C-alpha cells in the first residue's frame, strides 16, 4: 500500500509542480496542465484529434499488414531453408541499419507526399523486426517435432500449418509487437517531415507540425504528444494480449 | 544443428558450404546491383532511379567536396555527446532503481508514462524550446537513448544473482565496494545490450531530427539534396547512414566482448 501511494504520488506531484512553475516563471505561451486539459477538451470535442489519429492509425494498419504479408512468409522460408537464408542474409543485413525515416525523401520522390508514401515508410519500419524474429523463431523450433511429423508422413503443407507455424508463433508475435511500435514511431516522423515540406493531408504528426508552424499552439502540441503516447501504449497492450491468447504458455 | 535441420526441411541434404560468407555477401550484393542497374536502365526518368554507377560517382564527388565527411562527423559527434549524456544520467538512476525500492517506486510511473511518447514526437515542442541548431537533435537523442539505458540497467541489477550479493555482504564488503565490484560487473552484460539498443534508437532519431530541424548533419544533407533533385547524392547519404549505423553497432559489440569476455554466451545475433 505504501509503495502504491508513493507510485501514485510522484506523477501527481510532478504535474502540480509543472503547473506552479509555469504559472510563476513561464511565458504565457508555455504549456501548462490546465491549458493542456482545456485544449484537449476542445480538440476532442471538435473531433479533430480523433480524425487525425484515425488517419495515422489507418496508415499504420495498412503498412503493418503489408509488412506482415511479406516478412512472415519470407521469414519462414529463410528460417527453414538454409540456402535461402545464406543468400538473402546479406541484403537483410545491409538494409536493416538504414532507418525508415532516412529513406523518406526517396519515397516522397517516388510516391509523392500522400498516404501511399506513409504506408511504405510504415511497412519498411515494421518489416525488419518481424522478419528477424520470424527467422529466429523458425530456427529455434524443437527439431524432434519436425522429425516426428516427417517420420509419420505428414505432407509438407500440413507440416507447415500444424507444426511449424504454431511453434514459431510466439517469436513471430514478439516481432510483430516490436514492429508495430516502430511503425507507430515512423508514421509520426514521416508525417512531421512531410508536414514540414508541404500541406499534406491529415495525421497526428501533421497536426503537431501545424500547431508548431502556423498557430504556435504549444498546448495543442502537448495534447498530440499525450495522444501519441496513449496510442503507443494501447497498440502494445493489444499485441501483448494477442500473444497471451495465442500462446498462453509463453511468459510475456 | 540448425544447418542440418534447415537442410532436412529444404529436402534432405544440408546446404553445401563451398562458398565462404564474404563471397556469398559479394555475390548477393553484386546480383542486387545488377538488378538495380537494369531497373534504372528501364526507368525513363533518371531522377527517379539513378543507376548504381551514378550513385558511386556522386559518392566520389561528395567525398571530394568534403560534404560527406563533414556531415557524418557532425552527426556522429551528436550521437556520441547524446549517448554519453544519456548514460551519465540513466545508468546511475538505473542502478538506484535496481537496488532501492524507494527509487523504483519514485521513478517507475513517470518513466512508464513518458516512455510511450516517442522521442520523435518531441520534435515540434523541442523546435520551440531550442530552435534550429544543435540543441534540438541532442535533446531528442538523449531522450531516445535514456529509456532503454535506464530500464536495461535496472533490469540487469535486479537479475544479479542474489547469492553473490549475500556472499559479499557476509564477508563484510562495504556498500560502495559491493556496488563497484559485485553489482556493476554482474549487471554489465545487460547494460551493454541496452547501450546497443540505445545507440540504434538514437541513430534513427538523429536522422529524423536533422531532417526537420537542424542546419547540418546527415539527415539535413539528405533533405538538402532532395530539394536540389540530386537523387544520386540522396542515395549516397542513405548508404552512409546505414553503414555508420552498422559500424556503431559492430564497435559496441566488440567493446562488450572486450569488456566482458565471460558474457560471450550472449548470442551473436
Amino acid at each position: 500500500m505504501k509503495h502504491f501511494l508513493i507510485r501514485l504520488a510522484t506523477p501527481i506531484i510532478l504535474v502540480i509542480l509543472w503547473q506552479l512553475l509555469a504559472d510563476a516563471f513561464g511565458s504565457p505561451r508555455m504549456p501548462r496542465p490546465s491549458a493542456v486539459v482545456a485544449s484537449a477538451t476542445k480538440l476532442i470535442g471538435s473531433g479533430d484529434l480523433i480524425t487525425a489519429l484515425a488517419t495515422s492509425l489507418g496508415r499504420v494498419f495498412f503498412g503493418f499488414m503489408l509488412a506482415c504479408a511479406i516478412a512472415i512468409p519470407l521469414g519462414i522460408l529463410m528460417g527453414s531453408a538454409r540456402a535461402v537464408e545464406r543468400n538473402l542474409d546479406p541484403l537483410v543485413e545491409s538494409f536493416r541499419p538504414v532507418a525508415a525515416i532516412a529513406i523518406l525523401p526517396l519515397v516522397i520522390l517516388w510516391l509523392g507526399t500522400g498516404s501511399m508514401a506513409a504506408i511504405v515508410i510504415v511497412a519498411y519500419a515494421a518489416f525488419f523486426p518481424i522478419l528477424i524474429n520470424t527467422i529466429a523463431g523458425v530456427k529455434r523450433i524443437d527439431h524432434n517435432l519436425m522429425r516426428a511429423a516427417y517420420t509419420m508422413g505428414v505432407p509438407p503443407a500440413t507440416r507447415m500449418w500444424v507444426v511449424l507455424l504454431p511453434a514459431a508463433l510466439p517469436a513471430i508475435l514478439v516481432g510483430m509487437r516490436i514492429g508495430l511500435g516502430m511503425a507507430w514511431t515512423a508514421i509520426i516522423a514521416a508525417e512531421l517531415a512531410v508536414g514540414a515540406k508541404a500541406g499534406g493531408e491529415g495525421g497526428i504528426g501533421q497536426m503537431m507540425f501545424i500547431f508548431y508552424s502556423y498557430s504556435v499552439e504549444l498546448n495543442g502540441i502537448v495534447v498530440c504528444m499525450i495522444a501519441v503516447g496513449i496510442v503507443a501504449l494501447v497498440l502494445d497492450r493489444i499485441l501483448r494480449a494477442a500473444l497471451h491468447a495465442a500462446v498462453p504458455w509463453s511468459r510475456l | 544443428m540448425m544447418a542440418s535441420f534447415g537442410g532436412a526441411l529444404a529436402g534432405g541434404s544440408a546446404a553445401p558450404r563451398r562458398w565462404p560468407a564474404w563471397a556469398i555477401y559479394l555475390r548477393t550484393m553484386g546480383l542486387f546491383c545488377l538488378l538495380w542497374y537494369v531497373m534504372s536502365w528501364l526507368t525513363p526518368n533518371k531522377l527517379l532511379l539513378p543507376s548504381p554507377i551514378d550513385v558511386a560517382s556522386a559518392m566520389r564527388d561528395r567525398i571530394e567536396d568534403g560534404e560527406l565527411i563533414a556531415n557524418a562527423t557532425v552527426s556522429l559527434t551528436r550521437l556520441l555527446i547524446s549517448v554519453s549524456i544519456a548514460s551519465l544520467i540513466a545508468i546511475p538512476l538505473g542502478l538506484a532503481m535496481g537496488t532501492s525500492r524507494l527509487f523504483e517506486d519514485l521513478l517507475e510511473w513517470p518513466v512508464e508514462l513518458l516512455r510511450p511518447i516517442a522521442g520523435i514526437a518531441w520534435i515540434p515542442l523541442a523546435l520551440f524550446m531550442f530552435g534550429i541548431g544543435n540543441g534540438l537533435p541532442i535533446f531528442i537523442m538523449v531522450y531516445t537513448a535514456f529509456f532503454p539505458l535506464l530500464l536495461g540497467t535496472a533490469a540487469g541489477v535486479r537479475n544479479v544473482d542474489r547469492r553473490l550479493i549475500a556472499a559479499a555482504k557476509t564477508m563484510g564488503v562495504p556498500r560502495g565496494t559491493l556496488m563497484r565490484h559485485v553489482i556493476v560487473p554482474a549487471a554489465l552484460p545487460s547494460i551493454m545490450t541496452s547501450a546497443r539498443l540505445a545507440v540504434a534508437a538514437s541513430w534513427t532519431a538523429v536522422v529524423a531530427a536533422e531532417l526537420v530541424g537542424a542546419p547540418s548533419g546527415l539527415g539535413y544533407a539528405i533533405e538538402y539534396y532532395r530539394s536540389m533533385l540530386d537523387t544520386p547524392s540522396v542515395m549516397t547519404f542513405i548508404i552512409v547512414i546505414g553503414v555508420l549505423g552498422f559500424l556503431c553497432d559492430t564497435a559496441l559489440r566488440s567493446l562488450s566482448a572486450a569488456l566482458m569476455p565471460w558474457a560471450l554466451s550472449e548470442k551473436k545475433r
Side-chain angles (χ1 to χ4, degrees), chain B residues 155-213:
Chain B
V157 172
R158 271 185 223 118
N159 289 337
V160 172
D161 191 344
R162 293 291 131 202
R163 282 169 301 177
L164 288 179
I165 300 173
K169 277 187 179 157
T170 312
M171 290 186 274
V173 175
R175 264 192 83 83
T177 319
L178 179 75
M179 184 62 99
R180 224 168 334 123
H181 291 286
V182 180
I183 297 180
V184 171
L188 201 56
S190 169
I191 298 176
M192 287 307 291
T193 309
S194 57
R196 276 178 59 197
L197 283 176
V199 166
S202 324
W203 188 242
T204 310
V206 74
V207 179
E210 288 172 348
L211 209 67
V212 179

Side-chain angles (χ1 to χ4, degrees), chain A residues 176-232:
Chain A
M176 283 170 73
R177 196 178 144 203
I178 302 173
L180 191 59
M182 294 201 159
W184 182 242
T185 309
I187 193 75
I188 309 294
E191 288 173 352
L192 263 176
V194 171
K197 306 307 159 219
E201 53 205 276
I204 187 85
Q206 209 121 42
M207 192 171 179
M208 287 169 95
F209 196 82
I210 289 167
F211 277 138
Y212 163 73
S213 58
Y214 301 117
S215 49
V216 200
E217 228 310 278
L218 295 182
N219 295 305
I221 294 181
V222 175
V223 172
C224 290
M225 285 168 64
I226 295 172
V228 165
I230 292 174
V231 170

Side-chain angles (χ1 to χ4, degrees), chain A residues 3 7-8 10 80 82 86-87 90 94-95 97 102 105 109-110 146 189 192 197 208 212 218 225 229 233, chain B residues 5-6 9 17 19 24-25 27-28 32 47-48 101 105-106 109 116 120-122 128 222-223 226 231 238 242:
Chain A
H3 296 298
R7 281 170 182 228
L8 190 65
T10 7
S80 46
R82 179 83 184 135
R86 268 166 75 82
N87 281 300
S94 304
F95 279 94
L109 193 69
W110 290 333
M146 290 305 281
L192 263 176
K197 306 307 159 219
M208 287 169 95
Y212 163 73
L218 295 182
M225 285 168 64
L233 209 60
Chain B
F5 168 57
L9 257 179
R17 281 185 163 269
W19 292 66
I24 290 190
Y25 186 89
R27 187 178 65 181
T28 303
F32 172 75
L47 215 65
L48 287 181
R101 185 69 205 258
D105 286 340
L106 284 175
W109 281 21
I120 284 165
W122 282 84
F128 184 79
I222 286 189
E223 187 46 37
R226 187 193 71 90
T231 317
I238 292 175

Side-chain angles (χ1 to χ4, degrees), chain B residues 34-235:
Chain B
L34 193 70
L35 189 71
W36 174 9
Y37 184 82
V38 172
M39 298 249 302
S40 75
W41 185 65
L42 292 173
T43 309
N45 186 351
K46 288 286 165 278
L47 215 65
L48 287 181
L49 191 63
S51 80
I53 297 164
D54 294 339
V55 174
S57 86
M59 188 177 282
R60 206 193 51 221
D61 292 347
R62 296 289 85 78
I63 292 174
E64 276 174 0
D65 64 16
E67 285 277 312
L68 203 153
I69 311 287
N71 285 312
T73 315
V74 167
S75 293
L76 281 176
T77 313
R78 284 180 183 146
L79 180 73
L80 189 68
I81 294 175
S82 352
V83 172
S84 310
I85 296 176
S87 310
L88 283 177
I89 310 171
I91 294 179
L93 272 183
L95 291 175
M97 260 179 100
T99 45
S100 131
R101 185 69 205 258
L102 178 67
F103 267 96
E104 196 190 334
D105 286 340
L106 284 175
L107 289 172
E108 174 108 352
W109 281 21
V111 166
E112 287 307 314
L113 289 173
L114 278 178
R115 195 164 62 106
I117 303 178
I120 284 165
W122 282 84
I123 289 177
L125 198 63
L127 271 170
F128 184 79
M129 295 187 325
F130 300 103
I132 287 183
N134 268 322
L136 167 79
I138 289 181
F139 169 77
I140 303 287
M141 289 164 82
V142 170
Y143 178 90
T144 310
F146 179 80
F147 293 107
L149 277 169
L150 178 76
L151 297 176
T153 308
V157 172
R158 271 185 223 118
N159 289 337
V160 172
D161 191 344
R162 293 291 131 202
R163 282 169 301 177
L164 288 179
I165 300 173
K169 277 187 179 157
T170 312
M171 290 186 274
V173 175
R175 264 192 83 83
T177 319
L178 179 75
M179 184 62 99
R180 224 168 334 123
H181 291 286
V182 180
I183 297 180
V184 171
L188 201 56
S190 169
I191 298 176
M192 287 307 291
T193 309
S194 57
R196 276 178 59 197
L197 283 176
V199 166
S202 324
W203 188 242
T204 310
V206 74
V207 179
E210 288 172 348
L211 209 67
V212 179
S216 56
L218 293 170
Y220 167 79
I222 286 189
E223 187 46 37
Y224 174 79
Y225 285 106
R226 187 193 71 90
S227 63
M228 296 278 120
L229 293 177
D230 183 353
T231 317
S233 294
V234 171
M235 286 185 165

